Amino acid sequence: MRKSIATVSVSGTLAEKLTAISAAGFDGVEIFENDLLVSPLSPEEVRARAHDLGLGIDLYQPFRDFEAVPVDVLAGNLRRAERKFEVMERLGATLLLVCSSVSPDAIDDDKLAAEQLRLLAERAAGHGIRIAYEALAWGRHVNEYLHAWRIVRMADHPNLGTCLDSFHILSRGSDPIGIEAIPGEKVFFLQLADAPLLAMDVLQWSRHYRCFPGQGTFDLAGLVTHVLETGYAGPLSLEVFNDGFRQADAGRTSLDAMRSLIALEEAAARRCGATPPIPPPVIPAGFAFAELSVPTAEPPVPVGEPPVAVGEPPVPVGGASGHDFGPSVPVGELPGRAPELRGLLAALGFVRTGTHAGKPVELWEQGEARILLNATGDGPALAAIGLESPDPAGSVKRAESLLSPVLPRHRAPRDARLDAIAAPDGTELFFCRTDHPDHSSWTDDFRTRAEGAARAPAAGGITHIDHVALTQPRHHFDEAALFYRGVLGLRPQESLEVPDPYGLLRSKAMSSEDGALRMVLNINQVGAQHIPWQHIALACDDIVATARRLRAAHPGLLLPVPANYYDDLAARYDAPPELRELGLLYDRDEHGEFLHLYTITAGRVFFEIVQRVGGYQGYGAANAPVRLAAQHAWGGQGSSTMNVTPSA
């Protein structure tokens, strides 16, 4: 279907908006009147610019407070309308959006409203213009879409139809099934916006919190299905008022908008039993690896033998092991240094099992958990994630269809073919098949890769990557949620706001239906400089044994937990006293239990070790404030790295 977007949905000048909208592949635009009023371009210049960019002007909007008014007010309203018709003729726009009145002059009289809208439509017809009448959710007398349709039907003019707006319909809880009673030829326009479920004044909700389809809670696919049942053949058009979008890059926002419409079109096609316009999602089967960038490459160490780890005697600079820890420095005290991260992995039980044949990349393994260390010159930071895909080529096609181009990669002729796309925060996502008999494995690129015992987890040790948590740039949180939902087919959970000593942390978990792939998206509302950017959660079979081992061998490795937490835990649950002794955090729900602990931070990364008991599907969100406060306390108030030695 033809795809359009209102200029109010993106930031910038009108000229910048048109350029960005065109680059994203839209067919047309709604010109929001304020954008034209403040533009130095004349209507003729806007028309020419849009034409040159391949954009049609599908709608001019809004025209407010027209209908059901006293005669003297009507005269002024008709004069306003004539001026707008002249502007529209100069723009080349042939459809005007008229919102239901909120004016105190408006009279609660449907017959009068119909008579005056018919008069407006007759005047518009003389200019080759049609009128699309829309019920505002906060309209003075008309605030339901079927009420607006009854007035349009009563007016009975060929140049008067209705505009259906998903926000105005769904924000009031109206049943969209009634849309099917409207003839398709009288649905002149369809405006779409999603929104999170918020308990607030509907006008404020509309003006500040609308978002693109798939980023909120509305069933837009269902609404679009009802509209298509009428025979509607016009564009799918986005009209989104959002404070974040008004500040974000217009090009990026426009691409996100187009991605949302493509995904919505797919969902609506499935509802209608039609063939979707894009390839189906290929649901990842789990994590193949997590790749961490590190500042510099170490001198070689025999594969299968860990470097100096936390708690071991320090090695002088240039010592036999080749690891520069310096004099008596524990892990956590040298922010951003590569040996710190290697020592941290070794302490957790990982073993270096291979080095890349042509790149400064090391493979560390424990069970099915694989960590790559890539000496890029910065970090430590999470740079890439490998996803186990049953069909890597299909995963790539799906990503490209949703405007996520494959990233260029330099590889040697013998390197395994690995295609990657960029997530909204810049993290690279690779589609892999690991050690599969019918597909080349990325692990083949690592020479002298150790097998067997070197990879096996210790008794009760780490088995695989449970989930990865990524902190998103402030204006890209909703974009990221839509990306992972659309491209990977993950199911979003409800957003949470977690209290932090310096503000709020907003979080949304996303997972595959079977829980094999779990990701958590976070955004800091304030104080972002205090919080690590990403963390990797590692699953284990016996977290008590793992915690006991770590406490005994590496007492400075784990994040301290306040005693007050355990006092409260004892009051809420009959929890074993060893949780306090070992520094374990605990949560439960109706399905099962969750135990977890956190390491100190290396650069911008920390690790979480988790054990899920029974059918627990959450992430221990109730304990997040404890973790955040502990990280602040450990790192020192105002610390940007949090890489200082914790107190005993």
Side-chain angles (χ1 to χ4, degrees):
M1 295 183 68
R2 181 178 175 85
K3 297 177 180 64
S4 185
I5 186 171
T7 55
V8 73
S9 305
V10 298
S11 67
T13 65
L14 182 54
E16 291 169 340
K17 292 170 187 262
L18 294 176
T19 299
I21 289 168
S22 172
F26 281 92
D27 304 299
V29 292
E30 305 175 32
I31 299 292
F32 190 68
E33 185 173 61
N34 285 9
D35 288 326
L36 179 65
L37 296 182
V38 301
S39 175
L41 301 177
S42 68
E44 291 83 2
E45 289 172 324
V46 172
R47 178 178 186 171
R49 179 72 62 90
H51 179 270
D52 291 344
L53 292 169
L55 295 172
I57 297 179
D58 293 333
L59 183 75
Y60 186 69
Q61 61 115 336
F63 189 68
R64 303 184 187 276
D65 297 333
F66 174 80
E67 80 284 7
V69 293
V71 174
D72 57 330
V73 177
L74 176 64
N77 288 347
L78 288 172
R79 178 176 52 79
R80 278 195 300 126
E82 287 291 347
R83 297 294 181 268
K84 298 307 176 185
F85 295 155
E86 293 170 5
V87 170
M88 291 177 65
E89 287 181 307
R90 296 169 65 191
L91 276 173
T94 60
L95 184 62
L96 175 65
L97 175 68
V98 175
C99 302
S100 62
S101 181
V102 299
S103 171
D105 294 326
I107 301 167
D108 188 7
D109 185 336
D110 286 1
K111 182 178 180 182
L112 179 62
E115 290 173 353
Q116 294 183 353
L117 284 171
R118 179 180 176 83
L119 179 59
L120 179 67
E122 186 65 30
R123 296 280 190 98
H127 298 269
I129 291 170
R130 298 184 302 157
I131 303 298
Y133 182 55
E134 171 187 68
L136 290 180
W138 53 89
R140 182 172 175 81
H141 302 299
V142 179
N143 49 42
E144 294 278 356
Y145 75 97
L146 287 177
H147 189 178
W149 160 237
R150 289 194 297 271
I151 292 173
V152 167
R153 184 175 56 188
M154 191 183 305
D156 191 23
H157 193 284
N159 281 56
L160 179 65
T162 188
C163 173
L164 298 174
D165 184 300
S166 65
F167 183 86
H168 295 304
I169 295 171
L170 300 177
S171 66
R172 293 186 59 86
S174 300
D175 190 341
I177 187 65
I179 291 171
E180 296 187 21
I182 306 174
E185 66 272 12
K186 298 303 285 186
V187 180
F188 281 5
F189 208 70
L190 173 63
Q191 292 180 318
L192 297 165
D194 208 337
L197 186 60
L198 298 173
M200 65 187 309
D201 174 76
V202 69
L203 178 58
Q204 295 303 311
W205 188 16
S206 172
R207 285 289 176 260
H208 302 283
Y209 296 100
R210 295 196 199 191
C211 52
F212 295 134
Q215 296 177 342
T217 58
F218 291 161
D219 180 13
L220 293 187
L223 183 141
V224 169
T225 300
H226 292 310
V227 174
L228 295 179
E229 287 294 327
T230 70
Y232 173 74
L236 300 177
S237 189
L238 297 171
E239 186 199 35
V240 173
F241 298 84
N242 185 289
D243 295 345
F245 295 172
R246 288 188 178 99
Q247 302 171 51
D249 176 74
R252 183 165 185 157
T253 302
S254 297
L255 280 173
D256 192 34
M258 177 56 76
R259 181 182 294 120
S260 76
L261 277 184
I262 294 171
L264 176 60
E265 192 173 25
E266 176 195 34
R270 294 187 187 280
R271 292 282 188 96
C272 295
T275 301
I278 59 176
V282 179
I283 310 299
F287 292 98
F289 62 81
E291 180 179 317
L292 302 173
S293 61
V294 292
T296 56
E298 295 181 21
V301 173
V303 169
E305 297 183 12
V308 173
V310 187
E312 296 186 13
V315 177
V317 176
S321 75
H323 300 287
D324 178 10
F325 272 76
S328 303
V329 179
V331 164
E333 199 166 39
L334 289 178
R337 300 191 68 176
E340 177 188 41
L341 188 53
R342 292 179 173 89
L344 183 55
L345 288 175
L348 292 174
F350 282 85
V351 174
R352 187 195 335 241
T353 59
T355 57
H356 196 279
K359 300 175 183 177
V361 181
E362 303 167 2
L363 171 61
W364 291 68
E365 297 182 85
Q366 184 177 181
E368 295 301 317
R370 304 177 187 89
I371 305 292
L372 302 183
L373 300 185
N374 189 345
T376 60
D378 58 6
L382 182 61
I385 298 170
L387 301 173
E388 291 286 358
S389 171
D391 180 10
S395 296
V396 170
K397 289 180 181 178
R398 171 74 177 186
E400 290 181 308
S401 70
L402 287 166
L403 309 181
S404 300
V406 176
L407 295 174
R409 295 188 64 235
H410 299 289
R411 62 186 184 94
R414 294 185 180 181
D415 285 356
R417 179 176 180 83
L418 275 181
D419 289 323
I421 61 173
D425 66 350
T427 303
E428 295 184 2
L429 302 181
F430 289 85
F431 299 111
C432 314
R433 298 200 80 178
T434 304
D435 296 337
H436 194 278
D438 299 326
H439 194 279
S440 61
S441 176
W442 60 275
T443 55
D444 295 339
D445 293 347
F446 290 82
R447 61 174 181 253
T448 61
R449 182 184 178 218
E451 298 292 346
R455 294 178 54 200
I462 290 165
T463 58
H464 62 280
I465 296 175
D466 181 87
H467 66 272
V468 171
L470 303 171
T471 299
Q472 303 299 307
R474 184 178 300 274
H475 300 310
H476 302 154
F477 185 83
D478 290 334
E479 177 188 354
L482 176 62
F483 171 87
Y484 287 108
R485 181 178 184 174
V487 174
L488 301 184
L490 302 185
R491 300 187 308 173
Q493 298 180 15
E494 185 179 354
S495 290
L496 301 175
E497 288 188 343
V498 178
D500 170 83
Y502 298 95
L504 289 174
L505 179 78
R506 184 181 174 199
S507 182
K508 180 187 286 288
M510 311 191 73
S511 68
S512 55
E513 187 171 358
D514 61 2
L517 184 74
R518 295 182 173 97
M519 305 189 76
V520 179
L521 308 178
N522 296 323
I523 181 172
N524 291 88
Q525 304 298 333
V526 299
Q529 70 273 19
H530 298 294
I531 305 300
W533 285 23
Q534 311 112 339
H535 85 259
I536 300 169
L538 304 166
C540 75
D541 290 334
D542 187 347
I543 196 170
V544 170
T546 299
R548 203 175 296 282
R549 175 179 64 82
L550 292 172
R551 288 286 177 194
H554 313 290
L557 174 67
L558 302 181
L559 187 70
V561 179
N564 294 331
Y565 168 76
Y566 294 103
D567 294 339
D568 177 69
L569 192 65
R572 290 187 293 123
Y573 302 118
D574 184 19
E578 63 186 353
L579 297 184
R580 182 191 299 260
E581 171 195 347
L582 298 174
L584 289 170
L585 294 99
Y586 178 85
D587 190 32
R588 69 166 64 156
D589 61 17
E590 65 272 24
H591 304 295
E593 299 173 291
F594 187 67
L595 296 97
H596 56 141
L597 56 80
Y598 297 94
T599 71
I600 56 178
T601 304
R604 293 181 291 171
V605 178
F606 63 96
F607 293 91
E608 179 184 9
I609 301 176
V610 310
Q611 182 179 0
R612 298 177 183 273
V613 181
Y616 184 93
Q617 294 296 316
Y619 301 82
N623 296 325
V626 178
R627 186 259 297 176
L628 291 165
Q631 287 175 322
H632 282 297
W634 176 69
Q637 185 171 338
S639 168
S640 62
T641 64
M642 293 190 292
N643 286 314
V644 297
T645 306
S647 57

